[in-house]
Amino acid sequence: MALSAAPLKVCIVGSGNWGSAVAKIIGNNVKKLQKFASTVKMWVFEENINGKKLTDIINNEHENVKYLPGYKLPDNVFIHKVCDEITGRIPKNALGITLIKGIDEGPEGLKLISDIIREKMGIDISVLMGANIANEVAAEKFCETTIGSKILENGLLFKELLQTPNFRITVVDDADTVELCGALKNIVAVGAGFCDGLCCGDNTKAAVIRLGLMEMIAFARIFCKGQVSTATFLESCGVADLITTCYGGRNRRVAEAFVKTGKSIEELEQEMLNGQKLQGPQTSAEVYRILKQKGMLEKFPLFTAVYQICYEGKPVREMISCLQSHPEHI
């Protein structure tokens, strides 16, 4: 989003279910806010759907029939194919916000997606994380979300662009913690799915959520070198997103199927996710590498068990053992 003379231009990069749900909000909001240009462009990797280009379908029918079927996008949202890297083509005074709930591997271990974007593009990046199931957001059911921004005024600008009566936003300056919550909760959700596959019940799942939250807080303190506000975990990006994901998200659903079918994570991804990727197992692998490097695996039994079950053939029943032996304090 370029910070030049008004109106500010808005572009959405990516068009999965979440990107499309946010496009619906932004497209409607910019019509009412003079601060922003009235046309919103969306960049997408081209796909063929029943012989038609996905870009043509969205431009002509204003619906992402693959990733967000049943919800019309405003007629001011357009599509451009992402053919080349956009790095170097973005004005240096632009602002960005990432909605990606994942992490990457860097030379020294875990690397936040926002850091990668900041380094590649040289612009300020905020993050948006929360209990936001895309279909429910598109259906305009009430929910909350959290924007984390290192420069608070930039976060407040994105709040103005994105907030609606049914999409309530809180802005905090603890950006790294907000983003870590979005990634780490997917590991916990995999653990919750394993317990569902074992038919353990809601009491066990509540324990997974609580102990998982403890590990999320402890890991954030290690990664952010202590500069973490516990209050951030009480925002939508923390406990609310954790609960939602452990009951309704794709990580939980696929993990349950992993137990019941005996199929691999990769097989279930292809069968169940319609082209989308599972973030929990991959995030557990990145976290495992860091914890092993620091000699801290025993302090994070839930994160460790999820990784070992997904990638090392550890029996799923060991999920219960990790809960039984979990330390009271980390």
Side-chain angles (χ1 to χ4, degrees), residues 17-303:
N17 61 347
W18 186 210
S20 297
V22 168
K24 184 172 183 283
I25 289 174
I26 291 174
N28 286 323
N29 274 0
V30 297
K31 291 178 179 178
K32 303 175 233 172
L33 299 167
Q34 292 185 337
K35 183 180 289 188
F36 302 99
S38 60
T39 296
V40 177
K41 294 186 177 180
M42 178 189 277
W43 290 22
V44 60
F45 286 104
E46 189 68 275
E47 296 183 63
N48 283 311
I49 310 294
N50 298 325
K52 293 182 181 179
K53 289 182 177 180
L54 181 58
T55 52
D56 289 339
I57 294 171
I58 298 177
N59 277 335
N60 296 327
E61 301 175 24
H62 302 290
E63 181 181 352
N64 189 330
V65 294
K66 180 169 183 181
Y67 295 112
L68 195 71
Y71 295 103
K72 291 291 182 182
L73 300 179
D75 58 11
N76 56 331
V77 176
F78 288 86
I79 303 297
H80 289 264
K81 183 180 178 183
V82 181
C83 296
D84 304 304
E85 294 181 6
I86 60 175
T87 302
R89 304 180 181 212
I90 304 293
K92 290 300 180 186
N93 63 339
L95 302 177
I97 186 165
T98 173
L99 283 64
I100 300 169
K101 295 182 176 180
I103 52 176
D104 202 357
E105 186 181 6
E108 297 174 8
L110 179 152
K111 198 168 183 67
L112 298 175
I113 300 296
S114 63
D115 283 335
I116 294 170
I117 300 171
R118 283 186 198 101
E119 290 168 14
K120 281 187 174 292
M121 296 190 185
I123 64 174
D124 184 65
I125 298 291
S126 299
V127 299
L128 184 149
M129 304 285 153
N132 308 138
I133 293 173
N135 289 21
E136 295 183 11
V137 173
E140 299 182 18
K141 296 180 179 179
F142 178 83
C143 70
E144 298 178 311
T145 198
T146 310
I147 289 177
S149 191
K150 295 179 186 292
I151 301 172
L152 208 56
E153 64 183 284
N154 294 346
L156 293 171
L157 181 64
F158 282 114
K159 176 177 179 174
E160 191 175 352
L161 174 66
L162 288 160
Q163 184 160 264
T164 74
N166 284 320
F167 191 63
R168 187 167 68 184
I169 298 171
T170 301
V171 181
V172 300
D173 60 4
D174 196 4
D176 288 354
T177 303
V178 171
E179 188 169 3
L180 271 176
C181 283
L184 297 176
K185 54 94 183 180
N186 286 324
I187 306 177
V188 185
V190 172
F194 288 157
C195 289
D196 286 344
L198 294 169
C199 300
C200 293
D202 285 337
N203 293 337
T204 307
K205 189 185 282 192
V208 169
I209 292 171
R210 189 187 76 82
L211 296 170
L213 181 61
M214 284 175 58
E215 292 193 16
M216 286 169 61
I217 295 170
F219 187 87
R221 285 181 175 147
I222 294 168
F223 182 80
C224 301
K225 299 177 176 63
Q227 303 301 309
V228 170
S229 170
T230 307
T232 303
F233 291 91
L234 299 179
E235 299 289 351
S236 181
C237 63
V239 66
D241 198 10
L242 179 60
I243 292 168
T244 300
T245 311
C246 286
Y247 278 91
R250 73 183 82 147
N251 288 279
R252 186 220 63 81
R253 190 160 44 94
V254 173
E256 180 181 19
F258 176 85
V259 180
K260 291 186 172 178
T261 66
K263 294 179 180 178
S264 70
I265 294 290
E266 291 76 16
E267 286 177 289
L268 293 168
E269 252 185 353
Q270 293 174 355
E271 288 179 18
M272 299 174 67
L273 297 185
N274 191 31
Q276 294 176 313
K277 288 293 180 185
L278 205 61
Q279 292 158 321
Q282 181 184 335
T283 304
S284 77
E286 305 296 351
V287 167
Y288 182 86
R289 275 191 275 274
I290 290 175
L291 293 175
K292 187 174 183 180
Q293 183 184 348
K294 293 181 179 291
M296 301 183 75
L297 288 174
E298 74 285 348
K299 292 190 174 182
F300 293 83
L302 193 151
F303 285 176

